[in-house]
């Protein structure tokens, strides 16, 4: 089976001159379709940096990083943007637009797809029903609870059926039951759509959903 993510000898630093600090050292990792992988590790160990590199949100400095068969080392900006649109992102703070309804927020993820407005709306609505928010689709983020907002964010991340979903501490701001619901939902959808999920978490309450767990310390992956 070919990997969706293939990383070899990836190293990343921030800062210049004396202030230069290596935050990722010699990362080697392969992720496969249909896998849910948890990434744990102390604050500052480099988890978000790794996730943003995988999401084509920053440039690769050293090593090789292949996403969906494309090499990101040395890739042009335009190629990074294109790849970014093929990845589903779920962040700690849901990042919904407050001035848009739940449906409109989910529709945003379909903007670049060649669908009619009507089709976009139907897909968005169906996805919101899947995450249990069918009856709240016309509400604005301010009218939703934390768990509901995070479910809108999941719907938005998955509506375009991405092959890769990157989630950075998606349960951090949720109580334990909502956190578990959110993770179970990500897990179910990932299995249905056969995508790769990398989920960064501090949350020891949800470790049991992992099929595979990676741990990061001081910029290094320890198996
Ligand atoms: P984690 O997500 O595991 O908490 P991060 O990847 O956010 O870790 O951060 C790893 C290290 O890189 C930390 O020491 C952090 O301060 C540093 N860092 C992260 N982003 C930047 C940045 N944009 N500029 C400089 N240093 C950064
Ligand atoms: Mg982080």
């Amino acid at each position: 089976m070919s990997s969706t993510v293939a990383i070899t000898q990836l190293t990343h630093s921030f800062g210049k001159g004396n202030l230069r600090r290596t935050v990722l050292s010699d990362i080697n990792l392969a992720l496969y379709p249909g896998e849910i992988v948890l990434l744990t590790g102390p604050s500052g160990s480099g988890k978000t940096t790794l996730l943003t590199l995988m999401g084509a949100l920053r440039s690769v400095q050293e090593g090789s990083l292949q996403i969906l068969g494309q090499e990101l080392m040395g890739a042009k900006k335009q190629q990074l943007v294109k790849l970014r649109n093929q990845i589903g992102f779920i962040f700690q703070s849901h990042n919904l637009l407050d001035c848009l309804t739940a449906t409109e927020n989910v529709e945003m993820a379909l903007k670049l797809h060649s669908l009619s407005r009507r089709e976009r709306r139907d897909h968005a609505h169906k996805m919101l029903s899947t995450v249990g928010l069918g009856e709240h689709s016309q509400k604005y983020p301010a009218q939703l609870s934390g768990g509901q907002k995070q479910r809108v964010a999941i719907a938005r991340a998955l509506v375009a059926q991405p092959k890769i979903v990157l989630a950075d501490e998606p349960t951090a701001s949720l109580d334990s039951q909502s956190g578990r619901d959110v993770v179970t939902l990500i897990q179910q959808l990932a299995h249905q759509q056969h995508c790769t999920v990398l989920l960064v978490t501090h949350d020891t309450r949800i470790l049991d959903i992992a099929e595979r767990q990676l741990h990061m310390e001081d910029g290094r992956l320890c198996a």
Side-chain angles (χ1 to χ4, degrees):
M1 192 165 43
S2 64
S3 56
T4 42
V5 175
I7 300 177
T8 44
Q9 299 187 328
L10 182 74
T11 291
H12 199 86
S13 308
F14 286 115
K16 286 201 162 70
N18 285 342
L19 295 174
R20 193 166 174 84
R21 254 193 73 225
T22 299
V23 298
L24 293 177
S25 303
D26 193 22
I27 304 288
N28 295 284
L29 176 65
L31 303 177
Y32 295 91
E35 271 201 306
I36 302 195
V37 181
L38 285 195
L39 175 60
T40 60
S43 184
S45 57
K47 305 180 300 295
T48 296
T49 305
L50 181 60
L51 216 73
T52 52
L53 280 162
M54 289 171 60
L57 296 167
R58 60 174 84 249
S59 298
V60 179
Q61 295 170 346
E62 195 182 329
S64 167
L65 171 52
Q66 287 182 19
I67 302 289
L68 303 171
Q70 291 184 58
E71 176 62 59
L72 297 198
M73 174 70 188
K76 297 228 155 52
K77 220 175 191 139
Q78 202 180 13
Q79 197 188 343
L80 295 182
V81 171
K82 208 166 158 196
L83 202 62
R84 225 174 274 162
N85 289 317
Q86 298 175 52
I87 297 172
F89 294 99
I90 304 168
F91 296 104
Q92 170 174 352
S93 56
H94 47 78
N95 288 355
L96 301 179
L97 293 172
D98 288 329
C99 56
L100 300 181
T101 64
T103 308
E104 288 165 347
N105 266 289
V106 176
E107 269 186 69
M108 291 283 285
L110 295 169
K111 272 272 147 62
L112 297 167
H113 293 71
S114 50
L115 297 170
S116 70
R117 206 187 142 78
R118 176 68 195 271
E119 285 170 320
R120 282 207 302 265
R121 183 130 300 189
D122 287 349
H123 282 304
H125 198 268
K126 206 178 270 172
M127 198 67 209
L128 282 170
S129 301
T130 306
V131 300
L133 292 176
E135 283 164 21
H136 300 281
S137 60
Q138 294 316 308
K139 289 191 178 165
Y140 290 88
Q143 299 171 293
L144 300 170
S145 71
Q148 288 172 331
K149 281 188 272 209
Q150 202 54 303
R151 280 189 277 154
V152 177
I154 292 170
R156 183 186 53 188
L158 287 155
V159 71
Q161 306 209 312
K163 296 272 186 295
I164 300 176
V165 173
L166 301 174
D168 200 354
E169 312 213 24
T171 65
S173 58
L174 303 178
D175 63 68
S176 114
Q177 187 57 47
S178 316
R180 175 153 291 278
D181 291 348
V182 155
V183 168
T184 306
L185 194 61
I186 295 173
Q187 187 182 34
Q188 282 168 358
L189 294 171
H191 282 154
Q192 276 166 26
Q193 301 189 1
H194 204 60
C195 60
T196 303
V197 178
L198 183 66
L199 200 156
V200 170
T201 189
H202 262 336
D203 191 346
T204 51
R205 301 168 303 190
I206 58 168
L207 295 183
D208 57 307
I209 71 130
E211 288 152 13
R212 194 174 149 201
Q213 194 177 325
L214 306 168
H215 188 72
M216 192 163 236
E217 295 266 354
D218 288 334
R220 291 180 186 277
L221 275 184
C222 358

